[in-house]
């Protein structure tokens, strides 16, 4: 098993041939596949907008200060995490990866790799029961260190899966509300739907676990999540896989965090590729970030060790970015580390 990230990526390039080129920076410009596959939906604009939105912010280099040591740890959902970088749910190997890894293998690589790194992974759901089963099994194996993301199915079905999540020892449960129009669920005869605030409130009340809503892209939905009793939201456009021509998540994050950040935990994902990207998301108001495709590549190239190494490499990179922007711990990271690039018309 290759021990360097370069070796892991080389291995992944072979295993993912025809599905993903394993580009030097995963930016959605050359994806050989969309959906199903690794790319974005439709024109791919939503995926690329995630990358562009992050690139629109520049960081202020500051090296005359006393923040000589960096502490990346945080408490999230009752866990002490080594760093604010979590593994996003990446599932559906039969359709997205032509079955080149078993669903159980992929889920185990994500969950155990993240747990070994001192972090947490999310696991996925889809039309085939094997997706949810693989995730729950991996979470159980990791002693509950993982969070299942349930599709916005019919409410009673969600509650049945929430019970399974409780049994697995998961510290929280999530619903990817942006999958409300997911074609492969609907084609398989599985209902997915937008949810009302009342439905969210009933689902949140049905479990003692904190409920996380993934796929919030507007202040209106963030406020609805708060009103429905969600414990956290993930600002996400599903890696550009839900709806074509949505903005990048980093572009909408500041307004959402400003509106609800004092009432609810705000996490974010989409296009995070480096420690500087993590720093930017945190400066824009996220408490932690999720990373998807780079970890899928690491899982294909290096299994559990690959996922762990990729997460740790991002964290090392974040520590350097914090040191060079005058941040000692995560609470130091605020808008002052950003210099807005006026060319993109971005306002904080
Ligand atoms: C192949 C693939 C499968 C995914 N499966 C799921 C899933 O089952 N549930 C979910 O909530 N998100 C899923 N996502 C979205 C990710 O959780 C995450 O939001 C996204 O990948 C983050 O963007 P990034 O890949 O640019 O880091 C998937 C993404 C990819 C690329």
């Amino acid at each position: 098993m290759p021990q360097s990230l370069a070796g892991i990526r080389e291995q992944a390039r072979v295993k993912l041939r025809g599905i993903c080129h394993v580009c030097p920076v995963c930016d959605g410009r050359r994806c050989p596949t969309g959906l199903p596959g690794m790319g974005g939906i439709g024109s791919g604009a939503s995926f690329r907008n995630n990358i562009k939105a992050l690139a629109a912010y520049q960081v202020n280099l500051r090296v005359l200060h006393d923040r000589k040591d960096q502490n990346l740890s945080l408490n999230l959902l009752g866990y002490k995490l080594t760093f604010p970088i979590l593994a996003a749910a990446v599932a559906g190997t039969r359709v997205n990866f032509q079955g080149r890894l078993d669903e159980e293998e992929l889920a185990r690589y994500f969950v155990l790799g993240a747990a070994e790194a001192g972090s947490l992974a999310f696991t996925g759901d889809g039309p085939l029961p094997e997706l949810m089963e693989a995730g729950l099994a991996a979470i159980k194996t990791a002693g509950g260190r993982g969070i299942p993301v349930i599709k916005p199915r019919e409410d009673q079905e969600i509650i049945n899966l929430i019970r399974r999540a409780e049994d697995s020892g998961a510290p929280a449960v999530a619903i990817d509300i942006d999958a409300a129009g997911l074609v492969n669920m609907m084609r398989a005869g599985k209902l997915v739907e937008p949810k009302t605030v009342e439905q969210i409130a009933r689902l949140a009340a049905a479990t003692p676990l904190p409920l996380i809503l993934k796929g919030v892209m507007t202040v209106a939905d963030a406020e609805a999540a708060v009103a429905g009793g969600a414990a956290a939201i993930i600002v996400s456009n599903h890696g550009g896989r839900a709806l074509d021509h949505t903005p990048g998540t980093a572009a909408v994050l500041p307004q959402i965090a400003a509106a609800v950040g004092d009432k609810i935990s705000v996490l974010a994902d989409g296009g995070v590729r480096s420690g500087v990207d993590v720093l930017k998301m945190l400066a824009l108001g996220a408490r932690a970030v999720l990373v998807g495709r780079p970890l899928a590549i690491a899982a294909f190239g290096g299994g559990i060790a690959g996922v762990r190494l990729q997460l740790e490499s991002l964290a090392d990179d974040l520590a350097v970015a914090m040191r060079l922007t005058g941040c000692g711990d995560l609470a130091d990271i605020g808008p002052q580390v950003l210099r807005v690039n006026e060319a993109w018309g971005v306002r904080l």
Side-chain angles (χ1 to χ4, degrees), residues 86-101:
L86 289 77
V90 173
T93 52
R94 269 183 219 268
V95 287
N96 292 315
F97 302 117
Q98 299 170 13
R100 294 185 201 175
L101 269 183

Side-chain angles (χ1 to χ4, degrees), residues 172-183:
V173 65
I175 303 173
D176 52 337
I177 52 171
D178 57 359
L182 199 66
V183 174

Side-chain angles (χ1 to χ4, degrees), residues 26 34-40 47 50-51 87-93 95-97 103 106 110 122-126 131 148-151 174-179 182 214-215 234-241 249 268-273 290-296:
C26 169
L35 241 75
M38 279 276 265
F47 178 0
N50 284 341
I51 305 287
V90 173
T93 52
V95 287
N96 292 315
F97 302 117
E103 205 64 53
L106 185 66
F110 265 62
F122 289 83
T123 62
D125 183 17
L131 275 73
V149 186
I150 302 168
K151 292 279 173 253
I175 303 173
D176 52 337
I177 52 171
D178 57 359
L182 199 66
K214 173 172 184 276
I234 303 173
V235 175
S236 172
N237 61 8
H238 218 102
R241 293 164 69 83
T249 55
D269 76 11
V272 173
R273 301 292 179 260
L290 285 60
V291 174
R293 294 176 179 90
L295 293 180

Side-chain angles (χ1 to χ4, degrees), residues 12-347:
R13 196 166 285 119
V14 175
K15 294 213 174 139
L16 288 169
R17 185 163 292 141
I19 299 172
C20 166
H21 294 312
V22 187
C23 300
V25 177
C26 169
D27 59 9
R29 283 193 300 174
R30 292 184 58 227
C31 298
T33 51
L35 241 75
M38 279 276 265
I41 198 164
S43 71
S46 297
F47 178 0
R48 291 191 301 275
N49 285 345
N50 284 341
I51 305 287
K52 280 190 206 163
L54 276 165
Y57 301 100
Q58 297 171 341
V59 290
N60 293 320
L61 175 71
R62 281 215 51 212
V63 282
L64 297 178
H65 59 74
D66 62 359
R67 302 291 204 269
K68 294 171 194 282
D69 298 312
Q70 277 63 47
N71 173 12
L72 276 60
S73 69
L74 76 159
N75 287 310
L76 194 70
L77 304 162
Y79 279 107
K80 184 164 166 121
L81 302 187
T82 313
F83 43 71
I85 309 164
L86 289 77
V90 173
T93 52
R94 269 183 219 268
V95 287
N96 292 315
F97 302 117
Q98 299 170 13
R100 294 185 201 175
L101 269 183
D102 289 345
E103 205 64 53
E104 296 75 30
E105 285 176 298
L106 185 66
R108 261 180 5 94
Y109 295 169
F110 265 62
V111 172
L112 297 179
E116 281 189 9
S119 183
L120 270 178
F122 289 83
T123 62
D125 183 17
L128 296 172
E130 65 184 21
L131 275 73
M132 183 54 69
E133 294 304 327
L136 291 171
I139 292 169
K140 249 189 184 158
T141 308
R145 246 190 132 92
I147 301 174
V149 186
I150 302 168
K151 292 279 173 253
R153 298 161 176 271
E154 188 267 312
D155 289 356
Q156 189 53 51
E157 256 191 87
I158 294 180
I159 291 173
N160 296 344
L161 290 173
I162 288 177
R163 296 285 168 264
R164 305 279 316 280
E166 292 165 356
D167 289 344
S168 75
V173 65
I175 303 173
D176 52 337
I177 52 171
D178 57 359
L182 199 66
V183 174
N184 69 351
M185 288 289 285
M186 299 198 286
R187 280 203 191 118
K190 310 273 180 206
L191 178 126
V192 280
E193 61 176 10
K195 299 291 181 191
T196 64
V197 173
E198 292 72 29
Q199 283 178 291
I200 295 298
R202 279 197 294 275
L203 293 169
T207 175
L209 297 182
L211 177 66
I212 304 172
L213 297 184
K214 173 172 184 276
V216 170
M217 287 294 287
T218 59
V219 170
D221 270 8
E223 286 172 343
V226 173
I233 54 170
I234 303 173
V235 175
S236 172
N237 61 8
H238 218 102
R241 293 164 69 83
L243 175 66
D244 208 354
H245 297 289
T246 56
T249 55
V252 299
L253 174 59
Q255 286 77 19
I256 292 174
V260 300
D262 56 344
K263 303 182 191 92
I264 199 168
S265 281
V266 177
L267 312 183
D269 76 11
V272 173
R273 301 292 179 260
S274 67
V276 175
D277 286 343
V278 180
L279 181 87
K280 289 178 181 179
M281 286 291 206
L282 268 47
L284 294 167
R287 283 206 63 211
V289 302
L290 285 60
V291 174
R293 294 176 179 90
L295 293 180
I297 290 166
F300 269 87
I304 295 170
V307 169
R308 176 184 182 160
L309 198 61
Q310 177 64 80
L311 280 168
E312 288 176 344
S313 158
L314 286 166
D316 289 349
D317 200 20
L318 171 62
V320 174
M322 287 169 64
R323 172 178 278 239
L324 297 183
T325 52
C327 301
D329 54 35
L330 301 180
D332 290 335
I333 304 174
Q336 85 286 352
V337 310
L338 298 178
R339 175 179 179 275
V340 173
N341 182 349
E342 298 292 339
W344 283 98
V346 178
R347 294 271 179 284

